[in-house]
Amino acid sequence: AELDVGVVALVHSLQSARGKVLNGRRCILIEYLSNDERWKVQIQDESTTTALKVGNIKLTRRPVGATHPEYLEMSLWYTQQFSAMLAGRKLEKKYRNARGVTFEDDEPYYRARKFVELLDHCTDGYEPHQTIMHGEIARYYSVVPETSQSCDATMGNLEYTAGCIALSGMCYGRAMRAMDCGDGRPDIVVFALLESAPVSLSVLLSHVVSTHYIGPKSGYDRVRDDFRSSRMKMNIDDCELTPDQCSKDYCNAMKGPLGIMYSLHKLISTPGRLDKILFGRIEKHPLFSKTLHRLFRLAARESKGTQDGEELGYTVRCILMHMADMDDQMDDATYKSLTADRCSWDHGIQQQLLVKDDITSYEELLEFLQEL
C-alpha cells in the first residue's frame, strides 16, 4: 500500500507539545500539498485539518478479524434468543475477542472496527452458519429475523448483512430508525471502512448490487428461478444485479448499506469533507456503475409504488443528490425534485431509470439527473 487520498495512516514522531498529543492517532489523507511537500489530513476526532510531512505519517496495518470459536455447530444464526442472555457481558475471553463481537460501552472506534470485521472475508476455520452472534451485533441484526434468511442461498451473506446494519446504526445513534443522524458517528464509520478498504467497500457495494434473496422462507421457491436465470443470462457473474425484491426484511437489510451512504450528508460541513473522500473511493470502484443502477431502480420503483420503493426511495434519492452535488453544481429544480418528500416520476422517466447502467462518474451522474 502507498500513501494516497483516502488512505488511513498513523501520525507519529511529532515533537511539539501539541504534536505529541496527536502521535499514534489515525488520520485520513485528504490532499497532497506539493508546494509544501506535506499531506493535508483529517485526524480522528479533530475538528480541523492538519498539514503533515510525509515523515510524520505511516501506514496502518490492515485489521484482521479473529476467527470465531470453531466448536459452535449451529445450523442457523440465533439473535434475539441470545442477546438478552449476553447483555451482562458474561462471555469467555475466546468469545469476547471473536470476529465482530463488541458491546455498547466499548470505545467507539473499536466498535466500528469490530463491525467492519464482518465485512471482511471469512477465515478458513469456519463458515458463517456455524456461528452465533453475540453482544451488540445481535441486537442490530434482530431487525432482520433469522427465520427469513435461513435459505442456503443467503447463508454466506449473513455476516455482511449484520455488519452493514450495525455500521448504519452507529451512523445514526439512537435515531437509527428515523434516518436522522442524531448522536451518531458517521465519521468514525468512514475511518473504519477506509482502514479496511478495498475489501470493506467491495462488500458494502456488492450487498447493494448482488443482494441474495432476503424474505420469508416460504417465498424463496417463488423467486428462486428469477435469481437463477439472472445469473445464467450471458454468463453473469456474482457482481451483476440480482432481481428486485420488496419484502419487509429486504428493506430492513438494505437500510444497512444505504443508511451508511445516506448518513454521509452529516459530514458535508466538516473541514476534511470525509463524505467526498468515501464517495471518491466508491466512484473508482468496479461496482460503481452497477451500484448506481440499483439506486436508479429503487428510485423508479418508488414511483411505481412497490414496498421497496416506498421504504427506500427517499433515502436513495438523497444519496443520488449528495453524490451528484458534492461541488454544489446542481440546479435548484433537480435538487428540489430529489429531496422532495415524495417523488412521482412519469412512466418515461421510470423506464430511463430502470435501464440506466452506464454512468462512470459523478459528473455524468449530475448531467443525467439534470436532464431528467
Side-chain angles (χ1 to χ4, degrees):
E2 299 178 352
L3 298 181
D4 197 1
V5 174
V7 167
V8 177
L10 290 176
V11 180
H12 74 101
S13 301
L14 294 175
Q15 300 301 316
S16 68
R18 169 60 178 159
K20 289 179 179 180
V21 175
L22 300 177
N23 286 335
R25 300 266 289 277
R26 285 174 171 79
C27 65
I28 293 178
L29 307 188
I30 306 297
E31 178 186 4
Y32 183 65
L33 308 173
S34 56
N35 290 340
D36 299 326
E37 296 185 345
R38 292 171 180 257
W39 274 97
K40 179 181 178 182
V41 303
Q42 176 71 59
I43 299 176
Q44 187 180 330
D45 295 328
E46 291 293 309
S47 58
T48 60
T49 58
T50 306
L52 296 178
K53 296 178 181 178
V54 174
N56 295 122
I57 302 170
K58 63 180 179 181
L59 296 173
T60 64
R61 295 180 61 186
R62 186 172 175 275
V64 178
T67 304
H68 264 296
E70 295 179 16
Y71 60 83
L72 296 178
E73 297 178 356
M74 305 301 296
S75 60
L76 296 175
W77 283 36
Y78 294 94
T79 55
Q80 292 171 319
Q81 298 95 321
F82 285 89
S83 58
M85 179 184 73
L86 298 169
R89 300 172 56 86
K90 295 180 180 178
L91 285 178
E92 300 175 37
K93 185 176 181 181
K94 55 188 172 184
Y95 285 96
R96 191 66 180 78
N97 295 328
R99 177 184 173 109
V101 174
T102 184
F103 295 84
E104 286 189 7
D105 56 351
D106 286 331
E107 185 270 327
Y109 192 69
Y110 176 81
R111 290 170 57 215
R113 288 183 63 181
K114 294 298 286 186
F115 292 154
V116 169
E117 282 182 1
L118 297 177
L119 273 62
D120 206 339
H121 294 306
C122 299
T123 57
D124 294 333
Y126 77 101
E127 295 294 333
H129 63 278
Q130 296 175 325
T131 66
I132 300 172
M133 291 189 192
H134 296 285
E136 192 176 6
I137 198 74
R139 178 175 65 82
Y140 278 121
Y141 190 66
S142 66
V143 302
V144 183
E146 55 90 10
T147 52
S148 72
Q149 291 210 46
S150 57
C151 303
D152 290 341
T154 65
M155 277 297 190
N157 287 311
L158 292 177
E159 281 198 348
Y160 303 156
T161 301
C164 287
I165 291 174
L167 288 166
S168 178
M170 236 189 132
C171 288
Y172 297 109
R174 291 189 294 270
M176 174 187 176
R177 294 182 182 276
M179 281 301 198
D180 176 359
C181 284
D183 59 349
R185 293 296 305 272
D187 56 321
I188 286 180
V189 171
V190 170
F191 266 88
L193 286 171
L194 290 178
E195 188 168 3
S196 289
V199 173
S200 58
L201 297 184
S202 295
V203 171
L204 183 74
L205 299 182
S206 65
H207 198 65
V208 174
V209 169
S210 189
T211 319
H212 285 266
Y213 172 71
I214 301 175
K217 187 176 181 181
S218 59
Y220 177 61
D221 291 339
R222 178 172 53 81
V223 300
R224 179 178 54 197
D225 291 341
D226 289 339
F227 274 76
R228 286 179 175 174
S229 63
S230 73
R231 297 189 182 284
M232 292 175 64
K233 293 176 183 176
M234 295 185 300
N235 226 357
I236 283 176
D237 61 30
D238 285 341
C239 290
E240 293 292 338
L241 250 65
T242 45
D244 299 312
Q245 303 181 56
C246 58
S247 72
K248 181 69 175 179
D249 289 340
Y250 168 78
C251 293
N252 284 339
M254 288 294 281
K255 289 175 183 176
L258 295 181
I260 294 169
M261 288 188 274
Y262 175 83
S263 73
L264 297 182
H265 76 268
K266 187 178 180 182
L267 302 176
I268 291 176
S269 60
T270 58
R273 287 300 303 269
L274 298 185
D275 58 313
K276 292 183 71 171
I277 297 300
L278 184 59
F279 276 144
R281 292 292 296 270
I282 289 175
E283 183 181 24
K284 297 176 181 178
H285 197 280
L287 291 179
F288 175 69
S289 295
K290 294 183 176 71
T291 300
L292 290 183
H293 189 193
R294 175 70 77 195
L295 299 184
F296 290 151
R297 292 190 66 85
L298 286 169
R301 288 168 67 79
E302 179 188 19
S303 295
K304 287 178 173 291
T306 61
Q307 182 170 348
D308 56 327
E310 293 279 355
E311 290 205 30
L312 303 173
Y314 174 76
T315 300
V316 163
R317 285 188 283 110
C318 288
I319 293 170
L320 290 171
M321 180 279 296
H322 189 175
M323 287 177 165
D325 195 36
M326 284 186 288
D327 294 319
D328 298 323
Q329 300 294 317
M330 183 176 289
D331 61 56
D332 289 343
T334 304
Y335 178 86
K336 290 178 181 178
S337 174
L338 291 172
T339 57
D341 290 339
R342 171 79 187 186
C343 188
S344 297
W345 278 310
D346 61 33
H347 180 73
I349 293 179
Q350 291 176 34
Q351 291 304 113
Q352 290 185 63
L353 291 169
L354 288 172
V355 301
K356 191 65 175 176
D357 63 356
D358 59 353
I359 290 181
T360 60
S361 70
Y362 293 130
E363 184 178 356
E364 292 178 16
L365 174 62
L366 176 61
E367 182 179 349
F368 171 69
L369 292 174
Q370 292 188 151
E371 286 177 353
L372 291 178

